[in-house]
Amino acid sequence: MLVQRDGELGAIREALAEAARGRSSLTVVTGPLGAGRSALLHALFRCTAPGAARPLWATAAPEERDVPFGVVRQLLDGLLLDGLPAKEEPPGGDGPCDDVLGKSEGRPDAVRHPPEPTGADVDADTAGGDPGTVADALLALPAEPGTHAPPLILVDDLHWADAPSLRWLARAASRPDGPGLVLVCSVRNGEPGARDTLVRDLVENADRVLRPAPLGLAATGALVREHLGGAAEEEFVHACHRVTGGRPLFLVSLLSELGGTGRPPLAAHVPLVRAARPEQLHERVVSALGRQTPAVRAAAAALATLRVDVADGGVLHALLARLAALDDAGVGAVLRSLRELGLVEHGAGEDGGGTRFVQPGIREAVERALGPAERRQRHADAARLLHELGRPAEEVAAQLEAVERGGCPWAVPVLRDAADRARRRGAPDRAVRYLRRALLDVPDQGPARARLLVELAAAELPFDASAAESHLAQALPLLPTATERAAAALVLAPCVVAPLTPGGAEMLREAADDLAAADGASGKPEEEPGEEALRLEARLRYAGFTDPGRLTDATDRLRTADAAVHSAGGRELLAVLLHATTLGAAAEASEVARRAHAVLERLPASEPGPGSEIQLVLVSLMAADAVEAVESWLDAAEEHPAHRGADALRHSRRALLHVARGRLPRAREELERVLTAAGTVGAENRDFVLGVLCAVALSARDTRLGSLVVAEARDSAVSPLQDVLAGMVRMPEQARAGDPAAALETAMECGRQLEAVGWRNPVLFPWRPWAVSLAQRTGDHHLAHTLATVEYARARQWGAPVGVGRALRLLARTTGVAERVDMLRESVSVLRGSANELELLMALRDLGRLLGDGAEAREVLREAGRLAAACGAPWPADRREPGPARSAGAERAALTRTENRVALLVVTGFTNREIAAELEVSVRAVEKHLTHVYRKFGVKGRRGLSAHLYETEVNAAE
């Protein structure tokens, strides 16, 4: 299939028209490797209609350059065969095609095929005499018998033609009289034969020089569809065009390779395009280079060996000169040859800088053409040369990767430097490769190898934890001191919140025991542990958070660790101890807050965001309702360059701070940034970010965020916390779906799981408040009151204002009216000392509704309305008639004060007789008021009323 060659075909038609008028001409088709020169000549031969031209074919070959008239002999052979009947489908042909040079008039269309080059196999006798004499007879060759079609002589690869044939072709193209003929020859740029005097004269004296342009996107797409079938997606076509540069040979080779995969040309398969290394192209590149001069081949091998783009032309020339044993002039000449041949392309600079192979497959083909021993030696030479010239460590390391153990004393430091640079630029896989190569140049045993293994484990840990563990296990016995072994073991947990495998935790325990034994032998006091000991303890205690006994022990340890706040390792340990104490609510919130503030004051804001202990301190302060100092620390931290690139974590911290203050809109804004932030959240921070998502989802009753929590917990659960959080966010969804019993069971199951691991903090895990409301909705008022009582007791024990105030509000919902007002007033009083304005808003709302009409009720509700604006909670515009729930529909009327009190007592669990005694009215009056309530809300019975009020509470919060 010939595409995007209309201009070239038009030029040949013009030449044929001139030949019909008696004027012969020469057209040269030139271009680099893969430009489509031969394909154009083949199309002229195969698809020229009989009667439009009389095509004769010859292909020059380097093996026949010394055979006189080798090209002419092929033309004579073609002339003899031309009298035979044409084959409908010749072997190796491309099948039927449209005539590219007009339709025949004298005989049916026939598909022609260039005969196999015969060269010397056609002797003079076969041709009818001396080859020179017969060749001269060709000059008088008439047109196609019975037509006016002139001869069309096609010579492919003219640069390999023998000298007598070249002279004859020159005479044929320039003869002044006799029948006209058209001579079309192809010449590949950069070939040594193209610089032959006779070939240059032919090209320079040609009537036309055609240089086929690279294929455009439309032509590329047509070939993609032709070879792979179906509708090619635009992204796939673009990838094929970028990889091949629009060169027909490159493109057809690529498509042949891709056709073998059976994959359709879809955007999803673009990686196959980038990874393809067509064998056909490899063979053509090797063949083309094999006929170049030794200097050009050496330069190509040197450029392939370097594997890097060198922007500085002077440096590139120096490298190639040394590696290919050339002088400066020679380097310039061979680079020009490689560019003309089409194997390399030039960078932006005019000094040769940026020179590179036009595609990776060519570099690989050049390198594969070298033998294994030569390839290794070239890389060794390149590494040594790059090192001597002071090139970047990663350039040298890329060479050393391909070299077996060489015993170079400078190799290991260079590879370690390159690995460090690769890690810092975010390429840990490359760092691992460099370090693994460095292991080949160090002794099998000894501290040097151990330290290199530790570096390798640190590089492997982010994506291959098992390999990191294995290499650390090899390194530890080789390290000379307990302190160094402890520091090495800490690689498995570079931050206190990093997850540990059982094998990793065991390694840390052994290192801690080893260090303790060494400190004891040296007489070091136990109360003065070193940094490594403190950091090991911190990580081991964090790994034991699901053990209730370890939580209790952590609280005891916390009260003896105040002095540790002055060291980095001590602050890590204190953060872990504070977190353990907070989870179990094993101390008073005020004590936890005081110690957490002490850590925060000494925690440098310049410490890296990901994995630092600030997450644990922030959670403790949030649970203790003492977040006043957190915002200034976060402000200072976010200005430091060390925190750049940790956007998801930074926004998660801000979101948690806003949740602690009850500012839901701002919390949601921060979480939207978390979900769109660049980069991913590492495993060490997944629990924290997931906890923040859950907190916002529960506070705002946001089902979308809740779904994210559930999906994350299902896909990558690494701790019991994730299962609990997923269960907690399922409660609102189940209740909204009309299944309060299932939601209540989910809440109770979350509570059982939390109790099993000793996580009893009522502020961090507010499952009971949800269970209270769900129990009331299902009519289980006894369970609701029991849960509210336990929540209040736990909140009092912990002592955080937000927890106590919320527990009082919930307890008020499950007790009698007489006690309810006092409880709500106490709740409001406690919450005025809390940072959480949303909890204060809800307590004020409940109190105002309970008070009914009057000045106090209006003042309380006005204050609640002001807080609602700050907290992002919707608030009814008409507050003149407060009630237990405001209806959003126009058909629902507001309750009277008595109806309001009756409804509240019903959902609390009072019977009609108990309500009558409470309000000092008759049972009949209570039944009448209840009938009015049911009618106004459009519900049936007590359960329907409870469900309606629950849904109204949910809608009000949203």
Side-chain angles (χ1 to χ4, degrees), residues 494-498 539 572 607-616 646 649 653 684-685:
C495 62
V496 292
V497 294
R539 283 146 183 77
E572 289 184 2
E607 290 192 3
S612 76
E613 59 270 30
I614 183 58
Q615 276 78 263
L616 303 182
L649 193 56
R653 293 170 180 166
E684 69 274 10
N685 293 307

Side-chain angles (χ1 to χ4, degrees), residues 127-152:
D130 177 73
T133 303
V134 178
D136 289 339
L138 273 173
L139 297 180
L141 186 69
E144 181 85 22
T147 73
H148 299 288
L152 175 61

Side-chain angles (χ1 to χ4, degrees), residues 315-341:
V315 173
L316 177 64
H317 281 211
L319 291 170
L320 290 179
R322 293 276 295 275
L323 291 175
L326 298 169
D327 56 23
D328 288 342
V331 170
V334 297
L335 285 179
R336 282 193 297 274
S337 295
L338 289 171
R339 283 196 292 271
E340 290 173 0
L341 191 58

